[in-house]
Amino acid sequence: MKLILSDKHINILLQKNSDIELIDLSKCKISNCIGCFGCWTKTPGKCVIRDDAVKIYPKIAASDKIIYVSKIAYGGYDSVMKAMLERAIPVQQAFIRLLDGETHHLQRSVAEKTAVIIGYGNIPDEEQDIFRELISRNAKNMNFKNYRIVFTTEDKLEQSVEKEVLKWEEY
Amino acid sequence: MGRILILNGSPRAPKSNSKQYAEIFIKKCPAETKYFNITKTNHAEICDSIKLVSDLLLVFPLYADSLPVTLLEFLKYLEKHHPKNKPTVSVLVNCGFIEPQQNDTAVKMIRLFCSKNGYPFGSVLKIGSGEAILSTPFRILVCAKIKKLVYSVIKKRYLTLSVTMPISKNMFIRASTVYWENYGKRNGITKEQMETMKIEDF
Ligand SMILES: Cc1cc2nc3c(=O)[nH]c(=O)nc-3n(C[C@H](O)[C@H](O)[C@H](O)COP(=O)(O)O)c2cc1C
């Protein structure tokens, strides 16, 4: 499955019958994670908050190709995308393993991903460096096999997303 | 000695580890402190208090390798409501994994906020194994590091500190497995149930 997860509406035309799903998080009801660990210790694999996030994290888990589209804030994801990523921890188990010499959680049934992260805004170099560092850390917790980061401005965002989708459709 | 405002950015602030870390800080601090849990509705009230302090201590957990949304939202508000005199910002961050350096990116984000908005940056304490360390004998290591943090802030001799359980990673994995197994047990959930590969019903 291929998924585009965006924090704002993007106007792109997807080919008919394509297996690409586009989710506009700004239209979804996603409240903040409350850190209760219910998804690990009470109802494993399920978040106790039953809003739109519970339909989205299974799709994130199932995708082997994924594009994240997010505004950048202080070198990280801005609130809309960040809230979704925090709500996605039911895809992991509580239990910890060693990965590349570091401690990380075991994953449930999460497909290995080729990820493209499109960060938009006016992003100075220092902020881009922090975002790169963040994604290299996320890669371990979010099961990225490989990833690419694209920085763009808000007015060129749709073109940037379209370019990445075209690459998917070519292969 | 200035006054220190302590903000808890944990989404579960009233019952958080961050609250316990903040309490240790307050207990060891000879200077006047004021404490808030950051909520969705008290950003303005906190900003009123920021005007009156020389130092701000942000206490928060690492969430998905970065700042919890609770804290992020507050920083975005603060960016629009700066006090005239900006306090020095220090950080006490804890993460679940054993490596305190997994907190580094989050610390860089706070530094970036500070440099972008003209807040002097102060001390840092990075805690690894922060979910469980306070309920182990290693609690004393944390208390000692927090004391160091306190004095670095009040003496304005800022430091970057870190602390974690002084055990091997494999031992940490075994201990954390028992920790989480017991967590599940208290909810009537077995280890096998916790290990389900299913996400929702897929
Ligand atoms: C949504 C979520 C995301 C988390 N992400 C991380 C992480 O990326 N790395 C880590 O080491 N711990 C992570 N943790 C664990 C917390 O940082 C840890 O449990 C911490 O002690 C919680 O502190 P608090 O009680 O002050 O909120 C996460 C926990 C939650 C609920």
Side-chain angles (χ1 to χ4, degrees), chain A residues 123-165:
Chain A
I123 317 158
D125 287 351
E126 185 192 359
E127 194 166 4
Q128 292 192 10
D129 287 344
I130 296 174
F131 193 69
R132 282 191 198 96
E133 187 178 304
L134 170 67
I135 302 305
S136 75
R137 300 223 57 85
N138 280 170
K140 296 180 199 282
N141 292 322
M142 289 159 54
N143 225 16
F144 294 171
K145 185 169 53 184
N146 46 56
Y147 67 85
R148 210 152 34 79
I149 300 169
V150 176
F151 291 109
T152 186
T153 53
E154 190 160 1
D155 56 319
K156 297 207 183 94
L157 181 60
E158 277 170 9
Q159 285 155 268
S160 305
V161 178
E162 235 157 23
K163 217 163 116 186
E164 296 304 324
V165 172

Short mmCIF file of all heavy atoms in Angstrom, two decimals, chain A residues 123-165:
data_model
loop_
_atom_site.label_atom_id
_atom_site.label_comp_id
_atom_site.label_asym_id
_atom_site.label_seq_id
_atom_site.Cartn_x
_atom_site.Cartn_y
_atom_site.Cartn_z
N ILE A 123 12.74 27.47 5.77
CA ILE A 123 13.51 26.68 6.73
C ILE A 123 15.00 26.96 6.61
O ILE A 123 15.65 26.49 5.68
CB ILE A 123 13.24 25.17 6.51
CG1 ILE A 123 11.73 24.92 6.27
CG2 ILE A 123 13.72 24.34 7.68
CD1 ILE A 123 11.43 23.64 5.54
N PRO A 124 15.56 27.74 7.55
CA PRO A 124 16.99 28.03 7.50
C PRO A 124 17.83 26.75 7.63
O PRO A 124 17.33 25.73 8.13
CB PRO A 124 17.23 28.93 8.71
CG PRO A 124 15.90 29.30 9.24
CD PRO A 124 14.90 28.31 8.72
N ASP A 125 19.10 26.84 7.24
CA ASP A 125 19.99 25.67 7.22
C ASP A 125 20.05 24.94 8.56
O ASP A 125 19.99 23.72 8.62
CB ASP A 125 21.42 26.08 6.84
CG ASP A 125 21.50 26.43 5.36
OD1 ASP A 125 20.50 26.18 4.65
OD2 ASP A 125 22.53 26.98 4.93
N GLU A 126 20.16 25.72 9.64
CA GLU A 126 20.32 25.12 10.96
C GLU A 126 19.08 24.27 11.29
O GLU A 126 19.17 23.18 11.86
CB GLU A 126 20.49 26.24 12.01
CG GLU A 126 20.77 25.74 13.40
CD GLU A 126 20.65 26.84 14.46
OE1 GLU A 126 20.36 28.01 14.12
OE2 GLU A 126 20.84 26.50 15.65
N GLU A 127 17.92 24.81 10.89
CA GLU A 127 16.67 24.10 11.17
C GLU A 127 16.57 22.84 10.30
O GLU A 127 16.10 21.80 10.75
CB GLU A 127 15.50 25.05 10.92
CG GLU A 127 14.20 24.53 11.50
CD GLU A 127 13.10 25.60 11.57
OE1 GLU A 127 13.32 26.73 11.10
OE2 GLU A 127 12.02 25.26 12.08
N GLN A 128 17.05 22.94 9.08
CA GLN A 128 17.07 21.76 8.20
C GLN A 128 17.95 20.67 8.80
O GLN A 128 17.60 19.48 8.76
CB GLN A 128 17.61 22.13 6.81
CG GLN A 128 16.68 23.03 6.04
CD GLN A 128 17.07 23.15 4.57
OE1 GLN A 128 17.92 22.43 4.07
NE2 GLN A 128 16.42 24.07 3.88
N ASP A 129 19.08 21.07 9.39
CA ASP A 129 19.99 20.08 9.99
C ASP A 129 19.31 19.34 11.13
O ASP A 129 19.46 18.13 11.29
CB ASP A 129 21.27 20.75 10.50
CG ASP A 129 22.18 21.16 9.37
OD1 ASP A 129 21.97 20.67 8.23
OD2 ASP A 129 23.09 21.99 9.59
N ILE A 130 18.57 20.10 11.96
CA ILE A 130 17.88 19.46 13.08
C ILE A 130 16.82 18.49 12.55
O ILE A 130 16.67 17.37 13.05
CB ILE A 130 17.24 20.51 14.02
CG1 ILE A 130 18.34 21.38 14.65
CG2 ILE A 130 16.41 19.83 15.12
CD1 ILE A 130 17.82 22.55 15.49
N PHE A 131 16.11 18.91 11.52
CA PHE A 131 15.07 18.04 10.95
C PHE A 131 15.69 16.76 10.38
O PHE A 131 15.17 15.66 10.58
CB PHE A 131 14.27 18.79 9.88
CG PHE A 131 13.00 18.08 9.47
CD1 PHE A 131 11.94 17.96 10.36
CD2 PHE A 131 12.87 17.50 8.21
CE1 PHE A 131 10.76 17.29 10.01
CE2 PHE A 131 11.70 16.84 7.85
CZ PHE A 131 10.65 16.74 8.75
N ARG A 132 16.84 16.91 9.72
CA ARG A 132 17.53 15.70 9.20
C ARG A 132 17.89 14.75 10.33
O ARG A 132 17.73 13.53 10.22
CB ARG A 132 18.82 16.10 8.45
CG ARG A 132 18.55 16.62 7.07
CD ARG A 132 19.84 16.76 6.25
NE ARG A 132 19.57 17.64 5.15
CZ ARG A 132 19.82 18.95 5.13
NH1 ARG A 132 20.44 19.53 6.14
NH2 ARG A 132 19.49 19.69 4.09
N GLU A 133 18.38 15.33 11.41
CA GLU A 133 18.74 14.51 12.57
C GLU A 133 17.50 13.81 13.14
O GLU A 133 17.53 12.62 13.49
CB GLU A 133 19.39 15.41 13.63
CG GLU A 133 19.95 14.65 14.80
CD GLU A 133 20.64 15.58 15.80
OE1 GLU A 133 21.56 16.32 15.42
OE2 GLU A 133 20.23 15.55 16.98
N LEU A 134 16.40 14.56 13.21
CA LEU A 134 15.15 13.99 13.73
C LEU A 134 14.71 12.80 12.86
O LEU A 134 14.36 11.74 13.39
CB LEU A 134 14.04 15.05 13.74
CG LEU A 134 12.63 14.53 14.04
CD1 LEU A 134 12.53 14.01 15.47
CD2 LEU A 134 11.58 15.60 13.79
N ILE A 135 14.77 12.97 11.56
CA ILE A 135 14.29 11.89 10.69
C ILE A 135 15.20 10.67 10.79
O ILE A 135 14.73 9.53 10.75
CB ILE A 135 14.18 12.37 9.21
CG1 ILE A 135 13.24 13.58 9.11
CG2 ILE A 135 13.68 11.24 8.31
CD1 ILE A 135 11.86 13.39 9.69
N SER A 136 16.50 10.91 10.96
CA SER A 136 17.39 9.75 11.09
C SER A 136 17.07 8.99 12.38
O SER A 136 17.21 7.77 12.44
CB SER A 136 18.86 10.16 11.03
OG SER A 136 19.24 10.77 12.23
N ARG A 137 16.61 9.69 13.40
CA ARG A 137 16.19 9.01 14.63
C ARG A 137 14.83 8.33 14.41
O ARG A 137 14.64 7.18 14.78
CB ARG A 137 16.08 9.99 15.80
CG ARG A 137 17.37 10.71 16.15
CD ARG A 137 17.57 10.75 17.65
NE ARG A 137 17.57 9.42 18.21
CZ ARG A 137 18.63 8.62 18.28
NH1 ARG A 137 19.80 9.02 17.84
NH2 ARG A 137 18.53 7.41 18.79
N ASN A 138 13.88 9.07 13.82
CA ASN A 138 12.55 8.49 13.53
C ASN A 138 12.66 7.21 12.71
O ASN A 138 11.87 6.28 12.90
CB ASN A 138 11.70 9.47 12.70
CG ASN A 138 11.05 10.57 13.51
OD1 ASN A 138 10.50 11.51 12.95
ND2 ASN A 138 11.09 10.47 14.82
N ALA A 139 13.63 7.18 11.80
CA ALA A 139 13.76 6.04 10.89
C ALA A 139 13.84 4.73 11.67
O ALA A 139 13.28 3.72 11.27
CB ALA A 139 15.00 6.22 10.02
N LYS A 140 14.51 4.78 12.81
CA LYS A 140 14.67 3.56 13.62
C LYS A 140 13.37 3.18 14.31
O LYS A 140 13.08 2.02 14.51
CB LYS A 140 15.75 3.77 14.68
CG LYS A 140 17.12 4.00 14.09
CD LYS A 140 18.13 4.21 15.21
CE LYS A 140 19.38 4.88 14.73
NZ LYS A 140 20.30 3.98 14.03
N ASN A 141 12.60 4.19 14.73
CA ASN A 141 11.37 3.91 15.47
C ASN A 141 10.17 3.69 14.55
O ASN A 141 9.14 3.20 14.98
CB ASN A 141 11.07 5.05 16.45
CG ASN A 141 12.10 5.12 17.57
OD1 ASN A 141 12.55 4.09 18.06
ND2 ASN A 141 12.52 6.31 17.96
N MET A 142 10.31 4.11 13.28
CA MET A 142 9.17 4.04 12.38
C MET A 142 9.39 3.06 11.21
O MET A 142 8.65 3.08 10.24
CB MET A 142 8.82 5.45 11.89
CG MET A 142 8.21 6.29 13.03
SD MET A 142 8.26 8.10 12.87
CE MET A 142 7.49 8.38 11.32
N ASN A 143 10.41 2.22 11.38
CA ASN A 143 10.65 1.13 10.43
C ASN A 143 10.93 1.58 9.00
O ASN A 143 10.44 0.98 8.04
CB ASN A 143 9.46 0.16 10.45
CG ASN A 143 9.92 -1.29 10.49
OD1 ASN A 143 11.09 -1.58 10.79
ND2 ASN A 143 9.02 -2.21 10.18
N PHE A 144 11.71 2.65 8.84
CA PHE A 144 12.10 3.09 7.49
C PHE A 144 13.27 2.23 7.03
O PHE A 144 14.28 2.12 7.72
CB PHE A 144 12.58 4.56 7.50
CG PHE A 144 11.54 5.58 7.83
CD1 PHE A 144 11.90 6.91 8.04
CD2 PHE A 144 10.19 5.25 7.93
CE1 PHE A 144 10.95 7.88 8.35
CE2 PHE A 144 9.23 6.20 8.23
CZ PHE A 144 9.62 7.52 8.45
N LYS A 145 13.12 1.64 5.83
CA LYS A 145 14.23 0.90 5.23
C LYS A 145 15.18 1.92 4.61
O LYS A 145 16.38 1.86 4.74
CB LYS A 145 13.67 -0.03 4.15
CG LYS A 145 14.67 -0.95 3.51
CD LYS A 145 13.97 -2.01 2.66
CE LYS A 145 13.00 -1.37 1.67
NZ LYS A 145 12.22 -2.33 0.88
N ASN A 146 14.59 2.87 3.93
CA ASN A 146 15.35 4.03 3.46
C ASN A 146 14.42 5.23 3.35
O ASN A 146 13.20 5.08 3.36
CB ASN A 146 16.07 3.75 2.14
CG ASN A 146 15.16 3.07 1.16
OD1 ASN A 146 14.09 3.59 0.86
ND2 ASN A 146 15.53 1.89 0.69
N TYR A 147 15.02 6.39 3.31
CA TYR A 147 14.20 7.59 3.28
C TYR A 147 14.92 8.73 2.58
O TYR A 147 16.14 8.69 2.42
CB TYR A 147 13.80 8.01 4.70
CG TYR A 147 14.96 8.47 5.54
CD1 TYR A 147 15.42 9.79 5.50
CD2 TYR A 147 15.64 7.59 6.39
CE1 TYR A 147 16.50 10.21 6.26
CE2 TYR A 147 16.70 8.00 7.16
CZ TYR A 147 17.13 9.31 7.09
OH TYR A 147 18.20 9.72 7.85
N ARG A 148 14.13 9.68 2.15
CA ARG A 148 14.67 10.88 1.53
C ARG A 148 13.92 12.08 2.11
O ARG A 148 12.72 11.99 2.37
CB ARG A 148 14.46 10.81 0.02
CG ARG A 148 15.48 11.50 -0.82
CD ARG A 148 15.61 10.84 -2.20
NE ARG A 148 14.34 10.33 -2.68
CZ ARG A 148 13.39 11.10 -3.21
NH1 ARG A 148 13.56 12.40 -3.34
NH2 ARG A 148 12.26 10.56 -3.63
N ILE A 149 14.63 13.17 2.30
CA ILE A 149 13.99 14.37 2.83
C ILE A 149 13.98 15.44 1.74
O ILE A 149 14.99 15.65 1.07
CB ILE A 149 14.75 14.90 4.07
CG1 ILE A 149 14.78 13.82 5.16
CG2 ILE A 149 14.12 16.19 4.61
CD1 ILE A 149 15.72 14.12 6.31
N VAL A 150 12.84 16.08 1.56
CA VAL A 150 12.73 17.16 0.57
C VAL A 150 12.29 18.41 1.32
O VAL A 150 11.30 18.37 2.07
CB VAL A 150 11.67 16.80 -0.50
CG1 VAL A 150 11.49 17.95 -1.48
CG2 VAL A 150 12.04 15.51 -1.22
N PHE A 151 13.02 19.49 1.16
CA PHE A 151 12.57 20.76 1.74
C PHE A 151 11.99 21.63 0.64
O PHE A 151 12.54 21.71 -0.46
CB PHE A 151 13.74 21.51 2.41
CG PHE A 151 14.23 20.81 3.65
CD1 PHE A 151 15.46 20.16 3.67
CD2 PHE A 151 13.45 20.79 4.81
CE1 PHE A 151 15.91 19.51 4.81
CE2 PHE A 151 13.89 20.14 5.96
CZ PHE A 151 15.13 19.50 5.95
N THR A 152 10.88 22.28 0.94
CA THR A 152 10.25 23.11 -0.07
C THR A 152 9.50 24.26 0.61
O THR A 152 9.37 24.27 1.84
CB THR A 152 9.32 22.26 -0.96
OG1 THR A 152 8.82 23.06 -2.03
CG2 THR A 152 8.13 21.71 -0.18
N THR A 153 9.05 25.20 -0.19
CA THR A 153 8.26 26.29 0.38
C THR A 153 6.78 25.94 0.23
O THR A 153 6.42 25.08 -0.58
CB THR A 153 8.55 27.61 -0.35
OG1 THR A 153 8.36 27.39 -1.74
CG2 THR A 153 9.96 28.09 -0.08
N GLU A 154 5.94 26.64 0.98
CA GLU A 154 4.52 26.29 0.97
C GLU A 154 3.92 26.47 -0.44
O GLU A 154 3.11 25.66 -0.88
CB GLU A 154 3.76 27.14 2.00
CG GLU A 154 2.34 26.66 2.20
CD GLU A 154 1.73 27.12 3.52
OE1 GLU A 154 2.39 27.83 4.30
OE2 GLU A 154 0.57 26.76 3.76
N ASP A 155 4.38 27.51 -1.16
CA ASP A 155 3.77 27.75 -2.48
C ASP A 155 4.22 26.73 -3.52
O ASP A 155 3.57 26.56 -4.55
CB ASP A 155 4.02 29.20 -2.95
CG ASP A 155 5.49 29.54 -2.98
OD1 ASP A 155 6.21 29.12 -2.04
OD2 ASP A 155 5.95 30.18 -3.93
N LYS A 156 5.33 26.04 -3.27
CA LYS A 156 5.76 25.00 -4.24
C LYS A 156 5.41 23.60 -3.76
O LYS A 156 5.84 22.60 -4.35
CB LYS A 156 7.28 25.09 -4.44
CG LYS A 156 7.73 26.40 -5.04
CD LYS A 156 9.04 26.20 -5.82
CE LYS A 156 9.56 27.50 -6.37
NZ LYS A 156 10.54 28.16 -5.47
N LEU A 157 4.63 23.52 -2.69
CA LEU A 157 4.39 22.23 -2.05
C LEU A 157 3.72 21.22 -2.98
O LEU A 157 4.17 20.08 -3.10
CB LEU A 157 3.54 22.43 -0.78
CG LEU A 157 3.25 21.17 0.00
CD1 LEU A 157 4.52 20.49 0.48
CD2 LEU A 157 2.39 21.49 1.24
N GLU A 158 2.65 21.68 -3.66
CA GLU A 158 1.93 20.73 -4.50
C GLU A 158 2.82 20.15 -5.60
O GLU A 158 2.79 18.95 -5.87
CB GLU A 158 0.68 21.38 -5.09
CG GLU A 158 -0.44 21.31 -4.06
CD GLU A 158 -1.68 22.11 -4.41
OE1 GLU A 158 -1.77 22.63 -5.53
OE2 GLU A 158 -2.55 22.22 -3.51
N GLN A 159 3.64 21.02 -6.18
CA GLN A 159 4.58 20.52 -7.22
C GLN A 159 5.52 19.47 -6.63
O GLN A 159 5.81 18.45 -7.26
CB GLN A 159 5.44 21.66 -7.77
CG GLN A 159 4.73 22.60 -8.70
CD GLN A 159 5.42 23.96 -8.68
OE1 GLN A 159 5.04 24.83 -7.92
NE2 GLN A 159 6.47 24.11 -9.50
N SER A 160 6.01 19.76 -5.42
CA SER A 160 6.96 18.83 -4.80
C SER A 160 6.30 17.47 -4.54
O SER A 160 6.91 16.42 -4.77
CB SER A 160 7.48 19.37 -3.47
OG SER A 160 8.03 20.64 -3.66
N VAL A 161 5.06 17.50 -4.07
CA VAL A 161 4.37 16.24 -3.80
C VAL A 161 4.13 15.50 -5.11
O VAL A 161 4.37 14.29 -5.23
CB VAL A 161 3.03 16.47 -3.04
CG1 VAL A 161 2.31 15.15 -2.81
CG2 VAL A 161 3.28 17.17 -1.71
N GLU A 162 3.68 16.26 -6.11
CA GLU A 162 3.39 15.65 -7.42
C GLU A 162 4.61 14.95 -8.00
O GLU A 162 4.52 13.85 -8.53
CB GLU A 162 2.94 16.76 -8.39
CG GLU A 162 1.59 16.49 -9.01
CD GLU A 162 0.94 17.78 -9.49
OE1 GLU A 162 1.67 18.77 -9.74
OE2 GLU A 162 -0.28 17.80 -9.60
N LYS A 163 5.75 15.60 -7.85
CA LYS A 163 7.00 15.04 -8.36
C LYS A 163 7.29 13.68 -7.71
O LYS A 163 7.67 12.72 -8.38
CB LYS A 163 8.15 16.01 -8.03
CG LYS A 163 9.19 16.11 -9.10
CD LYS A 163 10.01 17.35 -8.90
CE LYS A 163 11.45 17.02 -8.59
NZ LYS A 163 12.24 18.21 -8.24
N GLU A 164 7.08 13.61 -6.40
CA GLU A 164 7.34 12.35 -5.69
C GLU A 164 6.33 11.27 -6.09
O GLU A 164 6.69 10.12 -6.26
CB GLU A 164 7.30 12.58 -4.18
CG GLU A 164 8.38 13.50 -3.66
CD GLU A 164 9.79 13.06 -4.02
OE1 GLU A 164 10.05 11.84 -4.05
OE2 GLU A 164 10.62 13.95 -4.30
N VAL A 165 5.06 11.67 -6.28
CA VAL A 165 4.03 10.70 -6.66
C VAL A 165 4.33 10.16 -8.06
O VAL A 165 4.19 8.96 -8.31
CB VAL A 165 2.63 11.35 -6.60
CG1 VAL A 165 1.58 10.41 -7.19
CG2 VAL A 165 2.27 11.69 -5.15
#
